[in-house]
Amino acid sequence: MKRTGIFFTYFQGERLRDFPEALDGLLNKANVFYYDAVYRSRAGLFYLEPATEQLLVKVHSRKMIEAVKGTGHYESALYSAGGTVQAADEIFRGKIDNAFVFTSFGDHHAGRDFYGGMCYFNGAALAIAMLKEKGVKRFAIVDTDSHHGDGTRSIFRRDVSVLHTCFCDQDYSDRYHKIDVHIPDCTTDEEYLSKMNQTFRPAAEGFGPEYIFWEYGYDATSGDYGDKGITRDCHIRLAEFLKGTADEVCRGRLIAILCGGARRDTATYTIPRIIATLAEQKGGFEHA
Ligand SMILES: [Zn+2]
Ligand SMILES: [Zn+2]
């Protein structure tokens, strides 16, 4: 059974209104570890630490960091990115095997010198910068948000140590291990999963990452703002697939990071099931 870390932060917005209560069926499991940035008074928890400015400057320009301070979202952006950094560190130190990271602000539209689309700091890029200093050499980022991960792509454009596979509206691949898989405006779960199987699986097997970061955006679900026609169950199947891939190629080291998606019902349905999949604790959720 995998040891799964949940890194929880929630500052604003509608979509996470049902959390952390919606995790109740998971938090009592012996192999699930809860790191909380919000409810620090609760007993028996680990704390989620914000990202440090010392680490931020390894990925983002000082000018951009100063600009984020002016948005009023600096603190929640630090906690959002900090969850991914801490998850990667806990996995590195052998405390947990995989993780799900809640965020108030996502990663993938945040580049070295720009931010946008509700993404301020790039948590996956910060975690990779931290892991590189510890000697980790190869990383995969798989992005199933509906939109192109332009920030992540710009940070790692010529970095051959990072396989970046992005499911979006582009079709692209290059010798730097950067891949875009075109998802049409109206697709099906079967077609989406088959593309994942045909592209990311062989790419990851050939590349041999030591960690897989999953930018989990659910905005491609029917009825959300990046609607591509997939159902909410597609995300659970993606979680099963990516967990299986991580188990095969990198000893299960998978970090799922909440990215785009606005619907509260989709978050409440998918996130506990994804975490249950990571923790191999699916029993309690199949009929919930
Ligand atoms: Zn998106
Ligand atoms: Zn893309």
Side-chain angles (χ1 to χ4, degrees):
M1 198 167 282
K2 290 282 189 283
R3 295 162 301 162
T4 298
I6 300 172
F7 295 78
F8 185 75
T9 173
Y10 170 40
F11 280 82
Q12 58 181 28
E14 266 300 308
R15 69 175 178 172
L16 295 179
R17 274 281 148 89
D18 298 323
F19 292 91
E21 291 75 13
L23 300 171
D24 275 352
L26 291 162
L27 298 182
N28 61 351
K29 306 292 186 195
N31 66 321
V32 174
F33 301 88
Y34 187 58
Y35 298 73
D36 199 317
V38 185
Y39 302 97
R40 290 189 166 222
S41 59
R42 290 211 288 189
L45 300 177
F46 302 102
Y47 293 151
L48 189 158
E49 302 296 340
T52 63
E53 200 157 331
Q54 201 181 3
L55 182 60
L56 288 185
V57 297
K58 293 180 177 158
V59 171
H60 300 293
S61 70
R62 287 197 182 272
K63 192 172 142 225
M64 186 268 220
I65 295 166
E66 290 307 312
V68 176
K69 286 180 184 173
T71 64
H73 297 307
Y74 183 65
E75 192 194 12
S76 41
L78 290 181
Y79 277 100
S80 292
T84 303
V85 174
Q86 194 176 1
D89 193 45
E90 293 289 86
I91 292 172
F92 182 83
R93 295 193 296 134
K95 301 270 173 109
I96 55 174
D97 300 299
N98 58 31
F100 187 94
V101 181
F102 286 81
T103 62
S104 296
F105 299 107
D107 284 9
H108 77 160
H109 296 310
R112 192 168 301 281
D113 203 32
F114 62 90
Y115 59 86
M118 296 288 281
C119 301
Y120 292 108
F121 298 128
N122 197 307
L126 290 163
I128 287 171
M130 179 276 293
L131 288 169
K132 279 184 173 176
E133 291 185 345
K134 295 177 187 288
V136 182
K137 299 218 165 5
R138 294 171 86 74
F139 310 88
I141 301 172
V142 56
D143 187 331
T144 62
D145 187 278
S146 189
H147 304 98
H148 177 59
D150 56 343
T152 305
R153 179 61 54 84
S154 75
I155 290 168
F156 295 114
R157 186 172 300 278
R158 298 278 182 269
D159 184 341
V160 294
S161 72
V162 178
L163 165 68
H164 183 218
T165 307
C166 171
F167 291 73
C168 59
D169 53 4
Q170 302 180 182
D171 199 351
Y172 177 81
S173 71
D174 66 25
R175 62 196 167 96
Y176 302 103
H177 310 294
K178 304 300 177 279
I179 301 168
D180 286 317
V181 180
H182 178 256
I183 300 294
D185 285 344
C186 191
T187 187
T188 62
D189 294 1
E190 296 307 326
E191 189 181 17
Y192 199 110
L193 288 154
S194 146
K195 285 191 176 179
M196 175 63 77
N197 191 35
Q198 285 161 18
T199 57
F200 182 65
R201 183 79 174 219
E205 284 170 351
F207 185 77
E210 293 165 80
Y211 285 73
I212 296 173
F213 294 86
W214 173 23
E215 296 286 1
Y216 170 55
Y218 62 81
D219 50 349
T221 319
S222 280
D224 215 318
Y225 61 83
D227 191 339
K228 297 264 190 183
I230 60 173
T231 74
R232 55 191 195 170
D233 283 312
C234 188
H235 305 298
I236 319 302
R237 295 170 71 189
L238 284 169
E240 286 163 2
F241 179 88
L242 292 171
K243 179 181 178 294
T245 305
D247 286 349
E248 184 192 311
V249 306
C250 55
R251 291 183 289 153
R253 294 173 157 192
L254 174 65
I255 300 173
I257 307 160
L258 182 58
C259 202
R263 287 185 60 149
R264 176 178 171 179
D265 57 348
T266 310
T268 303
Y269 181 83
T270 61
I271 293 172
R273 285 169 175 77
I274 289 171
I275 294 169
T277 300
L278 296 181
E280 299 169 0
Q281 287 280 6
K282 294 195 71 179
F285 283 88
E286 276 153 7
H287 307 288

